[in-house]
Amino acid sequence: GNTACANNCKKSVLLEKIAPALAQTEEERKSELQEEQAALAEDEAIAEDEWSPFGTTEKCCKCKSSTVGWSASGKCSFCKGSVSTTKSVSSDCTVKSKTFKGNTACANTCKTSVLLEELAPALVQTEEERKSEMQEEQAALAEDEAIA
């Protein structure tokens, strides 16, 4: 009855108040997306003219926010000025390569590469621990054999 109608009116009024804010948020999202696309297009255009004898122009980038990606220009624009580390890429992630894998594949390669770099010290430490344990076991076995 009356309560249901009142609730419907409240919902209707609330939707009218929220709709402009939702539309504005959608416009902001579109604007941000266009800015990102423009930055990526700029990266692509710059990459065609640059080359470095000290590695590739294209870079794997890790941002201070922990975002990891591939940059055609090597400027890591998606880090918005907060770059943590950069690394040259393999030849199949250079734009001019005949075997260029593409932006998405190279971004995924960068993510894997950065992850492996982060895990490598732990893996090396684990390997060193294994060697140490084996040496201890061998010493214990040699001692056991000497006693027997």
Side-chain angles (χ1 to χ4, degrees):
N2 293 343
T3 305
C5 287
N7 287 336
N8 282 337
C9 285
K10 283 182 187 178
K11 287 178 188 175
S12 179
V13 169
L14 182 62
L15 281 175
E16 284 179 18
K17 288 182 181 178
I18 293 175
L22 292 175
Q24 183 179 3
T25 304
E26 185 63 30
E27 288 299 317
E28 289 171 358
R29 279 192 216 129
K30 285 181 183 177
S31 175
E32 286 176 10
L33 183 61
Q34 288 171 343
E35 287 173 15
E36 286 177 21
Q37 288 173 338
L40 286 173
E42 185 179 313
D43 278 358
E44 297 284 333
I46 293 168
E48 291 177 13
D49 297 330
E50 293 181 10
W51 181 81
S52 168
F54 304 106
T56 60
T57 298
E58 297 85 345
K59 299 284 183 216
C60 286
C61 307
K62 182 176 181 186
C63 309
K64 290 180 181 172
S65 67
S66 296
T67 300
V68 176
W70 173 86
S71 172
S73 70
K75 294 181 180 177
C76 310
S77 57
F78 54 86
C79 289
K80 298 177 182 165
S82 295
V83 179
S84 175
T85 56
T86 62
K87 180 180 162 190
S88 290
V89 297
S90 61
S91 61
D92 56 357
C93 281
T94 57
V95 176
K96 290 186 177 181
S97 171
K98 291 179 182 178
T99 60
F100 178 57
K101 297 191 300 186
N103 300 6
T104 303
C106 290
N108 288 333
T109 299
C110 285
K111 287 178 185 175
T112 302
S113 176
V114 168
L115 179 64
L116 287 174
E117 264 185 30
E118 290 174 353
L119 292 176
L123 295 173
V124 169
Q125 183 179 2
T126 304
E127 185 62 29
E128 288 172 1
E129 288 170 358
R130 280 194 208 125
K131 285 180 183 176
S132 176
E133 287 173 7
M134 280 179 82
Q135 289 171 347
E136 288 173 13
E137 286 176 19
Q138 288 171 347
L141 284 173
E143 191 177 303
D144 284 351
E145 289 177 17
I147 294 171

